[in-house]
Amino acid sequence: MEEIVGRITDTERARNEAAVRSAMDRLLRGELPAGRGCDLKTLAAEAGVTRTGFYPKKDRDGTVREGPYQYLGDEFVRRLRALQEAGTAPDPRDAQIQRLKTQNAELKTRLAARDKTIEDLTAFKRLALSRIAAQHDEIMHLRTHPSPETPLPIQPTSVPHDAAMVIALRGRFLPMFHPGIGV
């Protein structure tokens, strides 16, 4: 006579275990139902058993006992982890998540490098503009206060003698006179 454990018979338990093993093999081969993942929830649904059978139970007196299919759930998780570590994930979503995490990390690295480059170039630009402004101020000072021992630079002769050139520096128009033109 069959022994009744809990609410199912030994025959029903054996049939459920066979269904769980069959569903486990299908899921681990990558035969996933549409919209489902490779997890214990899908395993329970595919095998036609309750998901709670894969987890430990607590009796009324507080003692913990193993769920009826907990060892099968542990085997499923162990085999799934082994496949993932080997690089073959039966769930394409897991592979996509891993690929996207890797791609995201690479993009963050590239973005940080570009931010650093922009920061360096901005600092260089600020320094260059500062030096140009200082040189301009020095040139303007020398033009307005020439020292007797410093000869004035000779202007190129290609500039027409009858026209004064106007240049825009720092938002001001400053006349630049040719040595041959009277002031």
Side-chain angles (χ1 to χ4, degrees), residues 63-135:
T63 60
V64 178
R65 63 182 166 85
E66 192 173 283
Y69 311 114
Q70 185 174 348
Y71 69 98
L72 292 171
D74 293 342
E75 178 185 339
F76 175 75
V77 171
R78 187 175 52 254
R79 288 174 60 187
L80 178 61
R81 192 171 298 127
L83 285 172
Q84 289 170 340
E85 288 172 1
T88 58
D91 190 350
R93 293 181 298 178
D94 290 340
Q96 182 182 20
I97 289 169
Q98 187 58 41
R99 181 182 53 79
L100 290 174
K101 283 181 179 180
T102 303
Q103 186 179 18
N104 191 28
E106 291 171 1
L107 289 173
K108 283 182 179 181
T109 303
R110 287 176 51 194
L111 184 61
R114 288 203 178 147
D115 286 347
K116 176 71 172 124
T117 301
I118 289 171
E119 183 180 313
D120 292 346
L121 291 174
T122 302
F124 176 76
K125 176 184 170 187
R126 190 174 300 119
L127 178 64
L129 288 175
S130 173
R131 287 181 179 173
I132 289 171
Q135 289 173 354

Side-chain angles (χ1 to χ4, degrees), residues 128-170:
L129 288 175
S130 173
R131 287 181 179 173
I132 289 171
Q135 289 173 354
H136 174 261
D137 289 344
E138 180 66 19
I139 290 171
M140 294 311 297
H141 174 74
L142 291 174
R143 283 190 178 160
T144 57
H145 301 91
S147 80
E149 61 271 351
T150 308
L152 290 174
I154 298 174
Q155 296 289 328
T157 57
S158 63
V159 176
H161 291 284
D162 59 343
M165 293 179 22
V166 177
I167 57 172
L169 291 173
R170 298 173 121 194

Side-chain angles (χ1 to χ4, degrees), residues 29-48:
R29 280 194 308 266
E31 299 172 15
L32 303 175
R36 295 289 187 103
C38 192
D39 53 17
L40 286 176
K41 183 177 179 179
T42 304
L43 178 63
E46 287 293 300

